[in-house]
Amino acid sequence: MNDHRRLGRELGIFDTDPLVGSGLPFWLPAGAAIRKAVEDYVHELERRHGYQHVNSPVLGKRELYERSGHWAHYAEDMFPPMLLGGEEFVLRPSLCPHHALIYRSRQRSHRDLPLRVAELGGMYRSELSGVLGGLTRVRAVQLNDGHVFCAPEQAAAEVSAALDLVETAHALLGVRAARYRLSLRGDGGKFVDDAAMWARAEAVLRAVLEERGRPYDEERGEGAFYGPKIDIQVADPAGRESTLSTVQVDFFQPGRFDLGYVGGGRPVMVHRSVVGSLERLVAHLIEVHGGAFPAWLAPVQAVVLPVSDAEVPAAEGLVRRCVAAGLRAELAPPARGSLGARIRAHRLVPYQLVVGPREVAAGDPPDAAPVRLRDGGQAGVVPVEELAAWSRPAF
Ligand SMILES: [Zn+2]
């Protein structure tokens, strides 16, 4: 069974140190490479679908979260405030309040809607140390977040478009949803007490789910404090479920921040995360792929294997060509063992380029090489540029 904690350390993806603290993993080079590949892909996917990217600070004044409703409904998951110069600052528990203020920073008209704002940003959760482990329960979260500000009659189409993005990204990442969940409010003070508002938001989500024809389960008490959610659940090898992607309809925060637009009333906020937090996503990807990531995600995409010492200079030149073409490539020289041993040591690398006397004769450095695939198959002699194209995500 692929446990992401064991594999993540073996593959140099992440680690922790008690001096940093539990629930605060750091990303090692292989993990940082995967993470950057995901960030770049999601950024481009969002850009192609009409999102504008923003950046906002990871903390704000306590009043900001009082205004958003987090302080009243979500405080137990938040870090305690930090005092500075008579003001209290809080590490943010979500990005929504900042994005609401970004919406409010300019006058908006109905022609600006839907306004799609996205950010891959940090947020913080005061998880107790007892439940922390690996990348799945962390205190510092990098979230692929986004908010669509739209007119009420646009909300269903925006929810559906967000689900399209989720399904597109999952297919490319190799993620299979365990189930779709409609997460509703429960009893108690965790949820904003406004039955009509909840019913209205729920109706939007139900209509989209029915129209898409995908089966889903309903669960009370799993909604956000401000509104219901469609959660896309994934399961780990032990069958434990967690929420990866989510789409939410919110009629609450736009009112709290007094958002409006010229020629209309109050916009709706559709909160959505296409791939969830990078921590949870990468944990899941490690388990799904067992370290054999799709080429576009692989920490090392191409390894160059000179047959003997005589081919090392040409192989170094080929590595440089691969790197210049955008590939994450490295050399595995004969000093590390026989060709067979080096191939075994790099069995998770998607493309293994073997450089022998024939490749050196064809060009030094060569601009193509015979490519061995990690399943043992042969792809023939492939030019570096073509290999780079194979190693990019498809849109
Ligand atoms: Zn949000």
Side-chain angles (χ1 to χ4, degrees):
M1 198 188 290
N2 295 326
D3 177 353
H4 88 273
R5 284 167 297 192
R6 180 181 56 78
L7 263 180
R9 286 188 175 88
E10 275 174 26
L11 301 174
I13 291 172
F14 74 97
D15 216 328
T16 52
D17 191 303
L19 203 51
V20 184
S22 57
L24 298 168
F26 42 76
W27 298 79
L28 298 168
I34 297 169
R35 178 177 151 155
K36 182 70 165 59
V38 172
E39 286 180 29
D40 289 351
Y41 165 66
V42 174
H43 191 282
E44 179 60 15
L45 182 70
E46 289 170 339
R47 190 189 70 80
R48 288 174 185 234
H49 288 86
Y51 282 86
Q52 295 179 293
H53 289 91
V54 297
N55 296 106
S56 55
V58 298
L59 73 176
K61 280 162 62 176
R62 171 180 163 161
E63 289 86 337
L64 174 61
Y65 307 102
E66 288 174 346
R67 178 75 83 91
S68 67
H70 285 84
W71 199 259
H73 299 281
Y74 199 75
E76 63 187 39
D77 293 307
M78 292 165 66
F79 275 80
M82 293 170 275
L83 267 175
L84 181 72
E87 294 181 312
E88 290 183 57
F89 290 89
V90 187
L91 284 171
R92 68 177 169 193
S94 80
L95 282 67
C96 339
H98 284 102
H99 288 188
L101 295 182
I102 286 169
Y103 177 91
R104 214 176 66 171
S105 68
R106 295 285 180 277
Q107 192 179 72
R108 311 291 183 181
S109 92
H110 69 279
R111 288 187 306 278
D112 299 325
L113 306 184
L115 184 79
R116 304 182 186 94
V117 174
E119 177 173 2
L120 205 148
M123 53 175 257
Y124 299 84
R125 248 185 234 137
S126 64
E127 301 269 13
L128 295 174
S129 60
V131 299
L132 304 172
L135 290 176
T136 45
R137 298 295 291 267
V138 292
R139 289 168 165 164
V141 177
Q142 283 295 315
L143 185 68
N144 157 243
D145 205 1
H147 296 91
V148 182
F149 299 87
C150 64
E153 64 273 17
Q154 297 170 326
E158 289 302 318
V159 170
S160 199
L163 289 174
D164 286 341
L165 286 192
V166 170
E167 288 169 8
T168 299
H170 283 193
L172 193 71
L173 289 159
V175 169
R176 279 234 316 273
R179 65 183 176 117
Y180 278 37
R181 183 176 80 183
L182 178 60
S183 300
L184 306 170
R185 75 191 288 212
D187 303 322
K190 246 182 89 186
F191 302 95
V192 170
D193 186 18
D194 182 339
M197 183 195 82
W198 281 88
R200 202 176 160 210
E202 222 179 282
V204 174
L205 295 183
R206 277 185 202 283
V208 172
L209 286 166
E210 297 299 332
E211 190 205 312
R212 295 177 73 88
R214 189 167 179 128
Y216 64 94
D217 302 316
E218 290 180 27
E219 249 171 79
R220 303 208 77 81
E222 293 292 340
F225 74 81
Y226 47 77
K229 315 188 283 172
I230 296 170
D231 290 326
I232 292 93
Q233 303 293 101
V234 294
D236 75 4
R240 279 184 301 255
E241 260 192 26
S242 57
T243 300
L244 196 62
S245 312
T246 177
V247 184
Q248 314 167 5
V249 169
D250 175 9
F251 290 101
F252 177 72
Q253 291 189 69
R256 296 294 292 232
F257 287 100
D258 196 24
L259 306 184
Y261 53 95
V262 178
R266 180 93 64 215
V268 185
M269 267 173 97
V270 175
H271 307 238
R272 41 101 287 181
S273 180
V274 176
V275 297
S277 78
L278 292 182
E279 290 78 12
R280 189 170 281 176
L281 173 67
V282 171
H284 188 64
L285 292 175
I286 293 168
E287 289 172 349
V288 167
H289 297 295
F293 299 100
W296 70 275
L297 279 175
V300 177
Q301 297 167 311
V303 60
V304 177
L305 304 144
V307 173
S308 72
D309 286 332
E311 291 88 29
V312 167
E316 286 171 341
L318 181 58
V319 170
R320 282 194 295 275
R321 286 204 163 172
C322 288
V323 171
L327 285 155
R328 296 184 287 276
E330 66 180 36
L331 182 76
R336 292 198 204 154
S338 70
L339 186 60
R342 284 178 281 149
I343 286 174
R344 276 194 302 280
H346 293 85
R347 63 189 174 282
L348 297 176
V349 176
Y351 305 125
Q352 299 151 5
L353 283 55
V354 180
V355 177
R358 204 184 322 164
E359 284 66 52
V360 179
D364 188 1
D367 57 9
V371 173
R372 187 185 179 281
L373 305 175
R374 61 187 158 198
D375 65 2
Q378 303 287 340
V381 176
V382 182
V384 168
E385 287 300 332
E386 195 174 324
L387 202 60
W390 293 357
S391 304
R392 287 193 280 268
F395 290 94

